[in-house]
Amino acid sequence: MPVDIGNVLHVLAHELRTPAGIAQGYLRMLMEERLADPEARRKAIEQAQKAVARVSELANEGSRLADWFDQPPDRTETIDARALIDRVVSGASDATTVLPRVDVAPAVGAVQTIDANALTNALIAVTKATARELRNTPCTIAARVQDTAAIEMW
């Protein structure tokens, strides 16, 4: 499947704007000394630091994506679909996010990819972003394999 690099860059820019704007807002409040309470200042610094860490994480993901595009087009490896989904669930779950797996269509079979680890990390990133948007609602993952050419995950 050809990649629309323009669309990828638009999504990346959109994802970077939110944490950058959050950090700017907290830093502006600190610079303008609008937070008199020491606890409020500490919280603002923590939130700005968290937002900047997210920008860094997105930049790292962008670098990994660029490495993906540099791979020879004929280089492929195979990953078991069930193992892939299990790795995604494991990698996206943390103390605050519960990701129950409900197989609407079982992910049975193998999928070809140019980089199984990069594919896993990309799906983990998408799953984490989805879980963040759902807030307190559990995130459910379902997947199915289309031949060996694709895995659909929703």
Side-chain angles (χ1 to χ4, degrees):
M1 176 175 95
V3 176
D4 180 355
I5 194 66
N7 191 37
V8 169
L9 292 174
H10 282 293
V11 170
L12 179 58
H14 173 75
E15 288 296 313
L16 287 168
R17 269 192 298 271
T18 300
I22 290 169
Q24 280 181 315
Y26 281 117
L27 292 172
R28 186 178 309 115
M29 286 191 297
L30 289 165
M31 286 176 38
E32 294 172 358
E33 298 180 2
R34 293 192 302 184
L35 301 172
D37 178 42
E39 181 61 25
R41 284 194 303 271
R42 186 188 63 73
K43 184 174 179 174
I45 292 168
E46 285 176 358
Q47 292 300 315
Q49 183 180 25
K50 184 177 177 183
V52 170
R54 179 68 181 137
V55 169
S56 179
E57 181 182 336
L58 287 166
N60 287 335
E61 289 174 10
S63 291
R64 286 194 300 270
L65 180 61
D67 290 342
W68 232 25
F69 287 116
D70 291 338
Q71 298 296 324
D74 59 343
R75 180 182 162 246
T76 61
E77 57 185 89
T78 303
I79 184 170
D80 177 72
R82 171 67 59 198
L84 173 62
I85 297 304
D86 288 343
R87 287 168 61 185
V88 170
V89 170
S90 175
S93 297
D94 59 31
T96 60
T97 307
V98 178
L99 301 172
R101 185 180 69 227
V102 176
D103 292 315
V104 175
V108 176
V111 179
Q112 290 185 346
T113 179
I114 58 172
D115 185 333
N117 286 329
L119 176 60
T120 302
N121 290 332
L123 292 175
I124 288 169
V126 168
T127 303
K128 283 182 170 182
T130 301
R132 265 194 314 275
E133 293 300 317
L134 292 174
R135 298 201 178 18
N136 294 325
T137 304
C139 181
T140 302
I141 296 175
R144 76 172 164 226
V145 174
Q146 298 290 326
D147 300 319
T148 60
I151 183 168
E152 289 183 325
M153 185 179 106
W154 62 98

